[in-house]
Structures are given as structure tokens and as C-alpha cells.
Amino acid sequence: MKAAITTTAKYLPEEVMSNKDLERILDTNDEWITTRTGIKERRILRDPKKATSYMCTEVARQLLEKRGISADEIDLIIVATMSPDMIFPSTACLVQGNIQAKNAWGFDLSAACSGFLYGLYTGAQFIESGNCKKVMVIGADKMSSILDYTDRSTAILFGDGAGGVILEAASEEGYGVLDARLYSDGLNGRNHLLMPGGGSLHPASHETVDKHMHFIQQDGKQVFKAAVMAMADVAEEIMQRNNLAAETIDWLVPHQANQRIIHATAERMGITEEKVMMNIAHYGNTTAGTVPICLAELDEQGKLHKGSNLVLVSFGAGYTWGGVYVRWQ
């Protein structure tokens, strides 16, 4: 039996940082940002005492409440993030403790913007194998904590946010997470999008701080070209593998990195804009949070029905990318 998404939830911080706000601290303007990215504003978790685990915990509590279950029923917690509270313990362990899910084990999964898709497919395997009955998969990042707000090439792109789902065995055959194709290319992608400081190669020092090595660094042109090709290719591959015609797809749920990348993917799939879930204008790129936030909003708006065909696609640092086919239960 396949794993089905039975519950969705999201968390976005209250504070809004608009393009106009960025104009006051960067050499940029609203028109320049909007034209090139599609982003108008993003959310910021300003409180220094609240980190990624806080957003994940808010999502986890919503998931439990919406599903009407106790934390004791969760078997596994997977948190996809590239901005953990700390190197260890894992963010998943912090969430497990916060919601007192005493019967759950958990781990963090690091695949940057593709983290939620990696986590979703990983969680699905535990359901299919019969080892777990209820798996919580959360994608979240506090990107404001690792952004250099003097760097126009990255500061305009990212926001904070989290989203998540509960996976359970599908009640009928032919529903749930039906297929996935996941990829990575560390040979060509390792140097174009990264945070070089803070790990065992470049542990924190005066030098790494002075060189801004604890912030995101990106070669925008290289990442853009790779993302356009990879997301479009994997979306087409998912369609071909599952005999999906454009008219049979109800929703493309893409990673919210850049509006032009999303449009290129939809064009390659032959689907109309009405079938593309986009909220990039309001939230920017929340990395591992983008896809589950999109799912939660579609669910909240009543746009997901039994039998809806969803194609989820993403691309991130590494490079990592992939596509997942979900038939909504």
C-alpha cells in the first residue's frame, strides 16, 4: 500500500519584509526585484530566541490538531532543513521533545531546497514497508539567519517559513505518493550555491566571520540555468513515467525560487497557469518550506480533491532536484 498525505499545515512568521523595505538597505528597487524574480515580499522570523525548530513545532502542533491525534501516535519525524538550530542535536529531536512525541524517532535531512521532496519520498518508504503507521515530514528554514543583507544577489530572494504533512497508508490502491525521481550532482553543483563556513572544513573563526563565510553564496546565473533545465526535465520525466497528459494534471506544485523557472517548467509540461501553484510573490523562497507551504494552501483553499493529480518538483543546492507524483486521497 502506498503512503498518502492525510494532513497538511504551514507556519509563516507575522513580520512582512517588502521590496520597499529592502530598498532602504540595498541598492535595488521593487521593479527590479519583481521583474526578475516575481517576489514582492517575504516573511521574517525576527525574534532571535526563535529558530527553525520553533516554526517546525508550530507546524507539528497544527498537524496533530487537524488530524485529531495525539503526539504519541507519531512514529517518525523527518525535518528537511538547511538552517537547523544547531549542528546537533537534530531539529527533529527538538521538535519531538517540544510536542512530547515519546514514541517517535527522528532525523534531519539536508538537501537544501529539494529537502522536502527527499523527505517525503523517504517517509513514504517507512509507510510502504509497514515499519511506521504515521510519519511527520516537515520542511522549514529560517533563511534570514544565514543571509547577508548587504548582498543584493541573495538577500532579495529568501524568506522564513515552514510547512509539513502527515503520511499514512493509503486507504485505497492507486492513491498517495505513486512515483518519484530524485537526483543530485555534486560534481557540477557544489561550488555554485553554498554556505562555506561553519562545518568541519571551515569551522567558525575570526577569518570565516570577516569573510562572510557563514552566509549564503550563490552564482545566480549558473544556478538559474541549471534549475530551469533540471525542474523542466524531471517534470516531463514524471509525466512520461506515469502516462500523464497535461489535461490530466490538476496541479503543478513547484519549488518557489523564481517565477521564470516556474513558468518554464509549466510550459515544458504543456499546462496552463491556472494549474500552477504559486505564492512566491508573498513569501519568496523559503527553501525546504516552499512545497509543503504550497500544499497546505491548496488544501486550505479546498482545491485538492480525491483523485487530484499533483506533480511536485524542486531544485536546490548540491545540486539536488527531483519530482514526485501524488494522487490525492
Side-chain angles (χ1 to χ4, degrees), residues 21-258:
D21 294 326
L22 288 174
E23 287 180 5
R24 291 192 278 271
I25 60 175
L26 286 170
D27 179 19
T28 190
N29 59 70
D30 174 62
E31 182 183 7
W32 191 91
I33 298 172
T34 303
T35 301
R36 286 160 178 78
T37 68
I39 301 169
K40 298 291 291 185
E41 59 189 32
R42 67 286 293 149
R43 301 294 182 90
I44 303 296
L45 185 62
R46 186 73 64 181
D47 190 339
K49 296 181 180 180
K50 295 177 179 177
T52 298
S53 67
Y54 171 82
M55 297 190 292
C56 291
T57 301
E58 291 296 303
V59 168
R61 287 173 174 156
Q62 288 182 54
L63 289 170
L64 295 174
E65 182 179 355
K66 292 172 73 173
R67 187 69 181 95
I69 60 175
S70 72
D72 292 347
E73 295 184 55
I74 300 299
D75 300 304
L76 169 62
I77 300 171
I78 301 174
V79 173
T81 185
M82 64 184 205
S83 57
D85 289 30
M86 56 198 83
I87 299 296
F88 61 89
S90 71
T91 308
C93 278
L94 300 179
V95 175
Q96 184 260 353
N98 289 343
I99 64 173
Q100 299 182 47
K102 62 183 180 182
N103 296 317
W105 62 287
F107 59 88
D108 287 2
L109 193 155
S110 177
C113 299
S114 302
F116 179 76
L117 293 195
Y118 275 43
L120 184 68
Y121 194 55
T122 300
Q125 307 311 301
F126 285 96
I127 297 294
E128 290 185 25
S129 68
N131 284 305
C132 296
K133 292 183 178 180
K134 291 180 174 65
V135 176
M136 190 177 283
V137 184
I138 301 172
D141 276 297
K142 185 178 179 180
M143 297 305 295
S144 61
S145 68
I146 55 174
L147 282 178
D148 179 357
Y149 281 98
T150 67
D151 179 5
R152 184 179 70 169
S153 67
T154 57
I156 66 171
L157 300 175
F158 298 95
D160 302 337
V165 302
I166 291 178
L167 291 173
E168 301 178 66
S171 57
E172 301 176 49
E173 290 188 16
Y175 293 90
V177 179
L178 300 183
D179 191 25
R181 294 294 290 162
L182 303 172
Y183 295 96
S184 61
D185 181 4
L187 177 62
N188 295 301
R190 68 178 69 186
N191 296 318
H192 298 309
L193 180 53
L194 70 161
M195 187 179 76
S200 59
L201 180 61
H202 299 294
S205 66
H206 283 295
E207 181 183 10
T208 63
V209 172
D210 291 342
K211 290 183 177 180
H212 290 203
M213 293 173 67
H214 300 272
F215 297 124
I216 293 173
Q217 298 179 7
Q218 175 176 257
D219 182 339
K221 290 183 179 180
Q222 290 294 330
V223 174
F224 180 85
K225 289 192 296 184
V228 168
M229 183 175 297
M231 281 180 58
D233 283 352
V234 78
E236 184 177 47
E237 183 181 9
I238 288 290
M239 290 177 69
Q240 292 177 350
R241 284 168 55 92
N242 295 281
N243 298 313
L244 293 170
E247 57 269 19
T248 65
I249 296 174
D250 295 284
W251 289 101
L252 166 65
V253 185
H255 170 51
Q256 308 287 302
N258 185 293

Side-chain angles (χ1 to χ4, degrees), residues 258-276:
N258 185 293
Q259 187 172 271
R260 291 183 291 171
I261 297 173
I262 295 171
H263 285 158
T265 303
E267 184 177 351
R268 178 77 164 272
M269 297 170 69
I271 65 174
T272 60
E273 189 173 320
E274 292 74 25
K275 291 185 174 185
V276 181

